[in-house]
Amino acid sequence: MSIEERFPRPSVMGVVNVTPDSFSDGGVNFAAQDAVASARRMVDEGAALVDVGGESTRPGSESVSAEEELRRVVPVLEELRGEVPISIDTAKAEVARRAIELGAELVNDVTALRGDPDLAGVVASSSAFLCLMHMQGEPRTMQDSPTYEDVASEVASFLEQRMRFAIAEGIPEERICLDPGFGFGKTVEQNFELLARLGEIVALGRPVLVGLSRKRSLGRILGDPEAMTGPLSASLAAAVEAYERGATIFRVHDVREHVEALTVAAAVG
Ligand code: HH2
């Protein structure tokens, strides 16, 4: 089955960060039982799947070991197994392998198969879907001075290359979706230009996943130059703009509100 058949446009992906330090919900779901309850609630609210992550990738964050990531996510995945459709937000082959064994359907790799040389093989030898995301630099330093000649065309050509790499590694194209990586090595202006020109990413021919929810660019465009997050209202506007430009999967913290907004956008469309 292709990813667009499994997750038709628009599909909402709820975010469950089993971390102490994620940028907007750090600590909220750090206890496994809280993460499980959040995931179940998100599905009740209309999420098509839930993205479980054990490592923050917020600007400035440090990476964690595979052992620590497994310690965080495995109890959550065990509990949700067979009940909630799961995406695993990881760049580590070992974590992806265990998550797939526990039923994860999608591997969400913010490094687009550049982080762990074994990850492509793990995905290829499973039936999991894969999200390839653009990032300039690495989380610890990516917001220091992101530079592009032309952000939209550079992100598009990066994603096309990473898709070719994934296909060459044995991952069928129909299982791949692409993500421009809002906030990952991009200024406020670059993020908004990328959103305006999202059609250029959609034109690559694969479903596009967007993560705009609560991102700091949304808070900054509202006038606070120091904002570290953006409000729900701005997240909804950004999601609808992305939908209008062809996005398929929406990675969000506030599921009910996004499902409602996107249902209206889809009815107009
Ligand atoms: N954003 C974050 C994490 N993972 N994955 C994809 N595909 N796209 C995104 O835009 C994306 C992502 C950052 O958000 P969050 O998970 O809320 O925070 P943190 O990385 O601090 O855990």
Side-chain angles (χ1 to χ4, degrees):
M1 187 191 283
S2 69
I3 188 165
E4 50 269 53
E5 285 167 330
R6 178 70 181 95
F7 301 112
R9 177 171 178 266
S11 283
V12 168
M13 168 193 263
V15 179
V16 174
N17 289 312
V18 195
T19 58
D21 58 344
S22 289
F23 81 96
S24 83
D25 65 344
V28 174
N29 290 312
F30 193 39
Q33 282 317 311
D34 295 336
V36 167
S38 292
R40 288 187 175 133
R41 191 197 68 239
M42 288 175 180
V43 169
D44 286 345
E45 292 178 352
L49 77 170
V50 171
D51 190 38
V52 177
E55 176 177 48
S56 173
T57 49
R58 76 177 193 290
S61 61
E62 299 284 348
S63 56
V64 301
S65 68
E67 293 67 40
E68 177 59 20
E69 228 181 290
L70 286 164
R71 216 175 1 253
R72 292 176 182 183
V73 301
V74 165
V76 178
L77 300 180
E78 282 174 344
E79 192 72 27
L80 295 173
R81 183 175 201 170
E83 188 192 330
V84 169
I86 295 292
S87 156
I88 180 74
D89 189 348
T90 191
K92 297 187 182 74
E94 207 180 322
V95 176
R97 185 184 299 115
R98 187 78 186 109
I100 291 167
E101 281 168 13
L102 290 170
E105 290 184 60
L106 189 152
V107 174
N108 175 22
D109 175 18
V110 300
T111 74
L113 301 179
R114 295 174 300 161
D116 184 332
D118 297 331
L119 184 54
V122 168
V123 177
S125 62
S126 75
S127 56
F129 301 117
L130 174 67
C131 179
L132 298 170
M133 195 195 80
H134 176 271
M135 165 164 41
Q136 185 181 93
E138 38 125 8
R140 206 166 45 77
T141 52
M142 66 191 175
Q143 292 308 111
D144 290 352
S145 61
T147 39
Y148 300 86
E149 291 268 328
D150 179 56
V151 67
S153 61
E154 284 175 50
V155 169
S157 74
F158 170 89
L159 291 173
E160 184 166 26
Q161 275 175 29
R162 298 316 296 164
M163 181 167 71
R164 296 283 151 241
F165 174 81
I167 293 167
E169 293 287 305
I171 301 165
E173 180 169 344
E174 64 167 25
R175 285 205 249 135
I176 298 173
C177 69
L178 305 175
D179 182 343
F182 290 105
F184 286 86
K186 291 151 192 114
T187 63
V188 175
E189 294 70 27
Q190 289 159 356
N191 283 312
F192 279 93
E193 178 169 358
L194 199 47
L195 177 54
R197 294 170 61 190
L198 196 69
E200 295 175 39
I201 312 296
V202 172
L204 296 172
R206 299 307 308 145
V208 170
L209 186 155
V210 291
L212 288 152
S213 175
R214 299 187 186 172
K215 293 254 160 106
R216 64 169 68 166
S217 286
L218 302 173
R220 296 195 179 181
I221 207 84
L222 296 177
D224 175 1
E226 306 295 324
M228 299 307 274
T229 65
L232 174 58
S233 51
S235 304
L236 294 170
V240 170
E241 292 291 338
Y243 176 79
E244 284 288 304
R245 290 164 176 77
T248 293
I249 302 176
F250 299 79
R251 183 181 182 279
V252 310
H253 302 82
D254 305 282
V255 169
R256 183 184 300 281
E257 293 85 350
H258 280 84
V259 167
E260 290 172 354
L262 290 164
T263 301
V264 171
V268 175

